[in-house]
Amino acid sequence: NIPLCKDPKNRKRGISRVSNADEHHILSATAPLLVEGHDAITGKSVYDMIFALNNGSIQRYDIHGKPQWTGKTPISKIPSWDDDLVTGRNNAYMDRIHFLQPTTASHTVSTSAMRPILLSGDDKMALFTAGRGSLLSMNHFPELSTGRPTLADINGDGTTDILITTANGVWGYCITIENYGSRFMKMLNVLLMVIIGAVYLVHFLEDGEPNRRSTDL
């Protein structure tokens, strides 16, 4: 068993709605999300599980139930939701964002392990890294959503985009993924080439200068 409700306060919230409107609502969870992982014991590729609750908690566990990370994002920036009192349904949704990382001018590769995590609720959505649970982006909806989001590649760039339905329309959000690691490596390579060129130039100038004696003016 994974102790999602280890805190006694969470257990209490899950039983009955508190009277104070400023307190957390009835505890509710999204469907667990499977992400690529690595079993340190067997050395095999496995799947970890990510859970999100409407009290601002998002956590990743390995196949042995050991916590891998807990999101450290302020609760105000984590999407929340309420269960419908009649149907018990909610607008909570958690999934992965698919994108293609260019490698050459004519080839691209799918970066499955790097795909961000989308968490959507009633009034906002957020993107988290799968590796550490760091917040990448957060966006408030213009209105409260009336259902769970729809994921689709709207502009055809190979990256999953998001459609949100509200009472007065459908809102589209195009996701852009930037690989700062690749950009840093390119800058490092350029800097290295500049240094090599400067050293070569200095060496060339020294070799081309005629030998002088100490008595020469």
Side-chain angles (χ1 to χ4, degrees):
N1 294 330
I2 298 177
L4 293 177
C5 302
K6 187 175 182 180
D7 186 355
K9 295 181 180 180
N10 286 343
R11 294 195 187 100
K12 183 177 180 180
R13 293 173 188 141
I15 297 175
S16 60
R17 180 180 296 273
V18 293
S19 58
N20 189 343
D22 295 332
E23 294 292 334
H24 290 296
H25 301 161
I26 296 177
L27 192 65
S28 175
T30 63
L33 179 65
L34 294 177
V35 296
E36 301 83 356
H38 180 78
D39 190 354
I41 298 177
T42 63
K44 297 180 179 180
S45 296
V46 295
Y47 283 94
D48 295 346
M49 299 188 72
I50 295 180
F51 298 87
L53 304 177
N54 62 345
N55 64 355
S57 174
I58 177 170
Q59 296 176 308
R60 175 172 177 170
Y61 294 85
D62 63 16
I63 60 173
H64 305 290
K66 181 179 179 181
Q68 299 300 296
W69 52 254
T70 298
K72 299 180 180 179
T73 306
I75 294 179
S76 60
K77 294 185 177 182
I78 298 181
S80 184
W81 56 89
D82 284 324
D83 288 344
D84 187 280
L85 296 179
V86 178
T87 64
R89 298 179 180 178
N90 56 54
N91 295 331
Y93 184 82
M94 186 165 56
D95 207 337
R96 304 289 296 279
I97 297 296
H98 176 77
F99 70 98
L100 297 177
Q101 178 180 351
T103 54
T104 64
S106 59
H107 294 84
T108 58
V109 295
S110 177
T111 52
S112 57
M114 297 173 56
R115 290 183 297 163
I117 299 168
L118 165 68
L119 178 61
S120 177
D122 289 334
D123 62 341
K124 57 180 171 287
M125 64 181 178
L127 294 177
F128 300 88
T129 61
R132 296 185 178 181
S134 302
L135 179 67
L136 293 173
S137 178
M138 187 272 293
N139 196 290
H140 285 274
F141 302 147
E143 303 173 301
L144 292 178
S145 62
T146 57
R148 296 177 180 178
T150 300
L151 304 187
D153 184 4
I154 300 175
N155 54 8
D157 63 351
T159 301
T160 303
D161 302 312
I162 305 169
L163 295 173
I164 300 296
T165 303
T166 66
N168 295 313
V170 178
W171 308 84
Y173 296 85
C174 292
I175 307 299
T176 301
I177 304 294
E178 295 185 356
N179 191 337
Y180 290 98
S182 298
R183 183 180 300 180
F184 174 76
M185 289 302 299
K186 291 179 181 178
M187 295 176 60
L188 187 61
N189 289 335
V190 171
L191 180 61
L192 183 60
M193 293 299 294
V194 171
I195 294 176
I196 293 175
V199 172
Y200 176 79
L201 181 62
V202 171
H203 182 69
F204 175 79
L205 293 177
E206 289 181 349
D207 289 345
E209 186 178 0
N211 295 329
R212 293 185 178 183
R213 296 174 297 178
S214 59
T215 55
D216 292 341
L217 297 177

